[in-house]
């Protein structure tokens, strides 16, 4: 359709037939009527003119020529006949109406229509109407088939031709009925030589025809006509594919749709069933001769408690997971899509015996292992394998339920029990390991002994993971656990006999309580010094409590001066020749065949200080004397004493000298010295007597005797009768020694003009002159 618009006026086509064009347009302002002209294009023919009022804005051009293109012009005209607006379009009419020649049904869901071709038609619309419902289909030429219909139903059939312009009017109708529906077959093969066919009743059917033939074309075709809805074909070939065709016919004898079905007969049972048993995997391989038409085979292995299945498309099948100690019946069934064959005759299968259970292992004192177990179904005999952890393996073959094996200490034995029959060996059951008691250390020795400790060593033994050393005595037992082949037992009692045993231990078997023991004594107890007595200056006696059996005691005095010893098996001993002024630490030890004790607690000992070897007295004045001495070993202070009938002089000092006053001249003294140690020990030392110097005269006076002489006069003491007079000057020294008993002396011929010192001293037997007497000055 081609449209031309002018001054806002338009026209459109809303339907087209073979001889009519249906138009519509909008109302145009001022128009009172509309004039429409249709002129054919490229065709000799007359034009068609039609007038329409402004009330109805639609118009139909009729009596047109089919399959022709027209130029259609519409004009809007006012009441005065003036054209207000015009528009023009081009439109083709539909092809001419077709005429049905034949209408028939070959299938229950379709009708086929035949007609002569219509010039200008591009396609055709075939319609089948059943009451208010209809079905349409578009085809390009004759014949045309409309599908989707109901079986055995009467339809009114029409046809329209179609081109780009539109569709023609429907053709005159024809009536046609669809044929009967095909029976829907249910087919089965109840046995290997028969096929059963059944179906439901078909609408309008009065009879049925069923035929059967091998699908490969061999043999003859079997055909049956029946008014029933089932029948059975017999004497067929097993496992063979057959083609079955069935159709129904109506009262007029018109056959309906046919239904084709391929059905295979079920197979025969397989022949020559063989069973091979694999004892290692507990599997059975079942084989048979193939049978015709079988697609798959089922193997059934069953007993009272268990049923196993295996499917195979070949001629053998492996049945896994069989149980030991069982007897099975084996059947084979062939299958195809038709069904299953009958089971084959049962074949008996006995499996291997199960692994023996309730295995127990016992060990007696003679080193023998007894292995026992419970009996097993279908077992003919048993074999027990015993392998030690050093790789050595032995076995026992018996029809009984126990075996004996020789065993050694400290070994782990791995034990397996198998049962056998004609099918083979039982599966591997539990592998038992039995560890015998560890061996006993037989060579343990004591490498260290003290009063409270025993150190025991031994060689490692097989099977021992730990050792327990036990030392038992009346007072109790001491235990030591260690993984090393040595143990130190501590907190023992000294001077005690212990029964020592080394037990070996393993986590699996525990302790070997059959190990031998030895008696071992601890070292003596340490003595306790009760007393030390000083028997003399260099002699001491030491006393202790004898608390050991068969012990010898050694006493040691240890000091900077050296070591001094004494020994005794009693309770005392004496040490002699100890030096003076020394400090010692005295201890005691006890020794027996078991060993030596620890030293006792030390007791300090101090000997008296040594006396000074040298002592010197020097008179300082008539009444003062200086005493000095050498150092006495061990002395801290000294006390000196000068004693005479006239009295005594004392001095206590830290030094090695002392000044003693109140000394009487001309007196014999006894000299004594005490050397005192820091702790108060005292040594009294006696020395040679000491005499103080003679007394100096008193009252010395000088008298002149002329120009060159003087007289010296004095008063003498009772003890001294002889004196010396000395005169010292720068011009010379002069001496006068009067006779005994005289108390004066004259010195003459001394130079004048000089200053002289005059000293009168008592005369001594040694001729010495005392320097202690007072001096007089004379000039």
């Amino acid at each position: 359709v081609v449209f031309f618009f002018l001054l806002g006026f338009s026209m459109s086509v809303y339907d087209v037939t073979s001889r009519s064009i249906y138009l519509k347009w909008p109302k145009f302002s001022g128009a009172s009527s509309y004039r429409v002209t249709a002129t054919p294009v490229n065709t000799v023919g007359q034009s068609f003119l039609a007038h329409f009022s402004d009330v109805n804005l639609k118009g139909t051009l009729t009596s047109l020529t089919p399959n022709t293109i027209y130029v259609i012009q519409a004009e809007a005209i006012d009441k005065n006949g003036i054209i207000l607006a015009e528009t023009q379009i081009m439109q083709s009419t539909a092809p001419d109406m077709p005429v049905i020649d034949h209408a028939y049904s070959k299938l229950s869901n379709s009708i086929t229509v035949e007609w002569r071709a219509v010039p200008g038609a591009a396609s055709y619309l075939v319609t089948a109407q059943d009451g208010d419902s209809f079905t349409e289909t578009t085809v390009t030429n004759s014949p045309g088939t409309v599908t989707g219909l109901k079986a055995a139903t009467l339809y009114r059939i029409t046809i329209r031709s179609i081109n780009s312009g539109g569709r023609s009017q429907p053709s005159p109708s024809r009536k046609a009925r669809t044929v009967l529906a095909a029976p829907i077959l249910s087919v089965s093969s109840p046995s290997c030589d028969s096929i059963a066919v059944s179906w439901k009743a078909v609408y309008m059917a009065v009879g049925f025809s069923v035929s059967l033939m091998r699908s490969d074309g061999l043999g003859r075709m079997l055909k049956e006509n029946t008014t029933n809805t089932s029948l059975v074909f017999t004497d067929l070939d097993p496992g063979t594919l057959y083609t079955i065709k069935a159709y129904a016919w109506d009262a007029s004898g018109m056959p309906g749709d046919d239904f084709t079905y391929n059905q295979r007969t079920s197979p025969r049972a397989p022949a020559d069933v063989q069973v091979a048993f694999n004892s290692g995997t507990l599997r059975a391989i079942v084989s048979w001769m193939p049978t015709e038409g079988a697609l798959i085979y089922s193997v059934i292995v069953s007993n009272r408690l268990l049923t196993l299945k295996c499917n195979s498309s070949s001629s053998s099948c492996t049945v896994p997971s069989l149980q030991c100690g069982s007897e099975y019946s084996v059947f084979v069934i062939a299958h195809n899509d038709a069904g299953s064959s009958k089971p084959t005759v049962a074949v008996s299968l006995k499996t291997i015996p199960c692994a023996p259970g309730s295995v127990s292992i016992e060990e007696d004192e003679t080193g023998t292992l007894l292995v026992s177990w419970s009996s097993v179904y279908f077992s003919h005999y048993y074999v027990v394998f015993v392998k030690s952890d050093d790789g050595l393996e032995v076995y026992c073959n018996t029809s009984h339920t126990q075996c004996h094996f020789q065993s050694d200490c400290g070994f782990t034995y791995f034990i397996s029990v198998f049962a056998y029959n004609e099918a083979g060996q039982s599966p591997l059951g539990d592998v038992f390991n039995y560890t015998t008691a560890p061996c006993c250390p037989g060579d343990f020795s004591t490498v260290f002994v003290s009063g409270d400790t025993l150190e025991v060593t031994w060689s490692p033994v097989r099977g021992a993971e730990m050792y327990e050393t036990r030392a038992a005595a009346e007072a109790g037992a001491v235990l030591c656990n260690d993984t090393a082949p040595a143990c130190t037992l501590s907190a023992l009692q000294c001077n005690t006999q212990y029964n020592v045993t080394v037990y070996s231990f393993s986590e699996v078997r525990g302790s070997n309580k059959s190990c031998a023991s030895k008696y071992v004594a601890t070292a003596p107890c340490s003595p306790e010094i009760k007393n030390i007595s000083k028997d003399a200056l260099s002699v001491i006696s030491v006393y202790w409590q004898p608390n050991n059996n068969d012990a010898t005691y050694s006493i040691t005095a240890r000091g900077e001066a050296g070591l001094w010893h004494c020994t005794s098996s009693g309770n005392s001993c004496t040490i002699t020749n100890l030096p003076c002024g020394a400090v010692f630490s005295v201890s005691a030890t006890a020794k027996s065949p078991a060993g030596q004790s620890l030293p006792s607690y030390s007791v300090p000992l101090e000997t008296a200080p040594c006396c000074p070897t040298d002592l010197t007295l020097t008179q300082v004045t008539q009444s003062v004397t200086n005493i000095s001495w050498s150092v006495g070993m061990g002395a801290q202070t000294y006390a000196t004493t000068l004693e005479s009938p006239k009295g005594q002089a004392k001095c206590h000092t830290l030094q090695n000298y002392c000044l003693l006053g109140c000394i009487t001249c001309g007196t014999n003294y006894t000299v004594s010295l005490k050397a005192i140690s820091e702790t108060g020990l005292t040594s009294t030392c006696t020395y040679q007597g000491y005499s103080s110097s003679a007394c100096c005269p008193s009252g010395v006076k000088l008298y002149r005797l002329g120009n060159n002489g003087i007289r010296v006069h004095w008063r003498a003491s009772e003890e001294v009768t002889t004196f010396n007079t000395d005169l010292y000057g720068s011009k010379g020294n002069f001496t006068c020694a009067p006779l005994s008993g005289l108390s004066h002396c004259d010195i003459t011929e001394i130079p004048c003009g000089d200053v002289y010192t005059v000293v009168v001293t008592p005369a001594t037997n040694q001729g010495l002159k005392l320097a202690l007497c007072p001096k007089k000055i004379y000039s």
Side-chain angles (χ1 to χ4, degrees):
V1 178
V2 180
F3 298 91
F4 298 94
F5 303 101
L6 184 61
L7 299 176
F9 182 51
S10 64
M11 177 177 54
S12 62
V13 176
Y14 66 89
D15 194 11
V16 175
T17 65
S18 301
R19 296 182 179 276
S20 301
I21 296 177
Y22 298 86
L23 305 170
K24 63 180 179 177
W25 53 87
K27 183 175 179 61
F28 192 82
S29 179
S32 62
S33 64
Y34 301 90
R35 183 172 54 202
V36 178
T37 303
T39 304
V41 178
N42 299 327
T43 301
V44 178
Q46 62 178 353
S47 297
F48 295 90
L49 177 64
H51 290 270
F52 302 95
S53 68
D54 64 347
V55 177
N56 191 359
L57 300 178
K58 291 182 179 180
T60 302
L61 297 178
T62 62
S63 300
L64 302 178
T65 302
N67 193 34
T68 301
I69 298 175
Y70 287 89
V71 175
I72 302 172
Q73 181 173 325
E75 298 170 324
I77 303 172
D78 64 8
K79 62 183 180 179
N80 297 319
I82 299 173
I83 299 175
L84 301 177
E86 64 180 12
T87 183
Q88 182 178 297
I89 64 174
M90 296 183 70
Q91 174 64 47
S92 174
T93 56
D96 203 357
M97 178 180 63
V99 177
I100 298 175
D101 292 333
H102 303 285
Y104 53 89
S105 173
K106 291 185 177 180
L107 298 176
S108 61
N109 66 341
S110 67
I111 293 177
T112 300
V113 183
E114 295 179 0
W115 65 92
R116 290 186 299 276
V118 175
S123 60
Y124 301 90
L125 180 64
V126 181
T127 302
Q129 186 172 0
D130 172 25
D132 294 333
S133 66
F134 59 89
T135 302
E136 296 180 335
T137 185
T138 300
V139 297
T140 59
N141 48 39
S142 177
T145 301
V146 58
T147 60
L149 306 181
K150 295 182 290 185
T153 302
L154 183 63
Y155 285 91
R156 189 170 66 88
I157 309 300
T158 60
I159 304 175
R160 291 185 179 190
S161 58
I162 302 172
N163 66 2
S164 60
R167 297 184 296 181
S168 70
Q169 290 87 351
S171 68
S173 64
R174 284 283 188 96
K175 291 184 178 180
R177 184 184 297 276
T178 52
V179 298
L180 300 181
I184 305 302
L185 301 182
S186 294
V187 186
S188 64
S189 177
S191 65
C192 63
D193 61 350
S194 66
I195 290 178
V197 184
S198 63
W199 56 90
K200 292 182 179 180
V202 177
Y203 175 67
M204 299 293 289
V206 297
F208 302 92
S209 180
V210 183
S211 62
L212 178 143
M213 187 175 183
R214 284 180 59 133
S215 298
D216 56 8
L218 300 177
R220 63 186 181 87
M221 183 177 70
L222 303 177
K223 187 174 182 178
E224 296 284 345
N225 291 326
T226 181
T227 58
N228 296 324
T229 57
S230 66
L231 58 85
V232 177
F233 293 95
T234 58
D235 296 327
L236 304 180
D237 298 329
T240 302
L241 183 64
Y242 286 87
T243 298
I244 301 136
K245 183 178 290 187
Y247 62 88
W249 67 83
D250 59 15
S252 65
M254 177 68 70
D257 289 346
D258 59 30
F259 186 92
T260 302
Y261 192 91
N262 290 327
Q263 174 66 44
R264 190 182 299 274
T265 52
S266 58
R268 277 198 180 99
D272 193 21
V273 177
Q274 302 290 331
V275 180
F277 179 69
N278 188 324
S279 62
T281 60
L282 283 177
R283 295 180 176 182
I285 300 176
V286 183
S287 60
W288 55 89
M289 290 295 293
T291 185
E292 180 68 28
L295 301 179
I296 194 168
Y297 299 90
S298 293
V299 177
I300 300 174
V301 179
S302 64
N303 59 16
R304 292 178 300 170
L305 302 177
L306 179 67
T307 298
L308 299 174
K309 291 185 179 181
C310 168
N311 295 325
S312 174
S313 59
S314 64
S315 60
S316 66
C317 191
T318 300
V319 181
S321 305
L322 296 177
Q323 293 182 341
C324 59
S326 299
E327 183 174 7
Y328 292 92
S329 295
V330 181
F331 307 89
V332 182
I333 300 174
H335 305 274
N336 61 16
D337 50 6
S340 303
S341 70
K342 293 180 180 180
T344 60
V345 177
V347 176
S348 178
L349 168 63
K350 284 186 178 180
T351 62
I352 58 175
C354 294
S358 302
V359 177
S360 65
I361 304 168
E362 299 177 6
E363 180 183 7
D364 60 19
E365 296 180 355
T366 62
T368 300
L369 292 181
L370 172 62
V371 183
S372 58
W373 57 90
S374 59
S375 60
V376 178
Y377 290 118
F378 302 114
S379 176
H380 294 171
Y381 64 94
Y382 304 91
V383 177
V384 182
F385 294 92
V386 177
K387 186 175 183 179
S388 59
D389 52 10
D390 62 354
L392 181 63
E393 184 175 43
V394 296
Y395 69 93
C396 166
N397 190 327
T398 180
S399 59
H400 301 290
T401 57
Q402 64 179 21
C403 273
H404 292 83
F405 295 91
Q406 188 67 33
S407 64
D408 292 322
C409 62
F411 276 102
T412 296
Y413 294 93
F414 300 92
I415 300 170
S416 303
V417 182
F418 294 92
Y420 291 83
N421 64 10
E422 66 276 3
Q425 173 186 291
S426 69
L428 175 64
D430 293 332
V431 178
F432 297 88
N433 59 55
Y434 185 88
T435 302
T436 56
C439 298
C440 288
D443 58 346
F444 74 89
S445 61
T446 305
V447 297
F448 174 77
V449 178
S450 68
D452 62 352
T453 303
L454 292 176
E455 184 177 344
V456 182
T457 62
W458 58 89
S459 299
V461 295
R462 188 175 57 245
E465 299 173 359
M466 183 179 289
Y467 301 93
E468 179 182 87
T469 305
R470 176 185 175 90
E474 292 182 359
V478 177
L479 300 177
C480 168
N481 294 317
D482 205 330
T483 56
C487 196
T488 300
L489 298 164
S490 56
L492 304 178
Q493 292 183 347
C494 56
N495 190 44
T496 302
Q497 189 88 350
Y498 282 92
N499 186 9
V500 180
T501 309
V502 180
Y503 299 101
S504 55
F505 177 86
S506 69
E507 185 175 356
V508 175
R509 193 53 54 199
S511 180
N512 189 342
K513 296 298 184 181
S514 63
C515 300
S517 61
K518 293 181 182 179
Y519 283 95
V520 180
T522 53
C525 299
S526 298
E528 180 183 358
I529 296 176
K530 296 295 186 181
N531 186 35
I532 298 177
S533 65
K534 297 180 180 178
D535 299 338
L537 180 64
S538 61
V539 177
I540 63 170
S541 293
V542 182
Y543 300 87
W544 59 87
Q545 180 68 40
N547 52 357
N548 295 291
N549 300 325
D550 300 327
T552 300
Y553 299 90
S554 296
I555 310 300
T556 301
R558 184 186 304 274
E560 293 183 0
L563 298 175
W564 278 260
H565 302 278
C566 71
T567 59
S568 173
S569 59
N571 65 342
S572 67
C573 71
T574 300
I575 298 178
T576 60
N577 299 320
L578 290 175
C580 60
V583 176
F584 296 93
S585 177
V586 181
S587 62
T589 58
K591 189 174 184 179
S592 71
Q596 180 172 308
S597 73
L598 295 173
S600 68
Y601 295 119
S602 297
V603 177
L605 173 68
E606 181 182 359
T607 56
C610 296
C611 290
T613 55
D614 299 322
L615 184 139
T616 302
L617 288 88
T618 304
Q619 193 161 354
V620 179
T621 66
Q622 282 281 294
S623 62
V624 177
T625 299
N626 180 55
I627 302 178
S628 62
W629 55 86
S630 60
V631 175
M633 181 66 68
Q636 184 183 42
T637 63
Y638 303 90
T640 58
T641 302
L642 295 182
E643 188 172 5
S644 72
K646 296 180 180 181
Q648 63 179 199
K650 290 185 178 181
C651 173
H652 194 181
T653 180
L654 288 168
Q655 310 299 326
N656 61 342
Y657 60 88
C658 187
L659 290 176
L660 293 175
C662 301
I663 300 300
T664 303
C665 58
T667 303
N668 292 325
Y669 288 90
T670 59
V671 182
S672 63
L673 182 143
K674 290 183 178 180
I676 305 170
S677 70
E678 185 176 0
T679 60
L681 291 178
T682 302
S683 292
T684 301
C685 310
T686 302
Y687 298 92
Q688 185 177 1
Y690 166 70
S691 297
S692 60
S693 61
C695 296
C696 292
S698 60
V700 176
K701 294 183 180 180
L702 299 177
Y703 300 98
R704 181 184 299 279
L705 296 178
N707 290 331
N708 57 354
I710 62 171
R711 169 173 286 184
V712 181
H713 189 273
W714 60 83
R715 236 181 358 262
S717 61
E718 296 179 359
E719 294 83 359
V720 181
T721 59
T722 303
F723 296 90
N724 291 323
T725 302
D726 294 299
L727 180 68
Y728 302 100
S730 60
K731 297 180 180 181
N733 297 327
F734 303 93
T735 300
C736 173
L739 295 175
S740 176
L742 293 179
S743 57
H744 68 274
C745 183
D746 294 335
I747 301 174
T748 60
E749 296 182 359
I750 57 176
C752 58
D754 198 359
V755 177
Y756 294 96
T757 299
V758 180
V759 179
V760 180
T761 60
T764 63
N765 295 331
Q766 293 82 10
L768 298 176
K769 296 180 180 180
L770 292 177
L772 305 177
C773 295
K775 298 177 177 61
K776 291 288 187 175
I777 302 300
Y778 175 77
S779 61

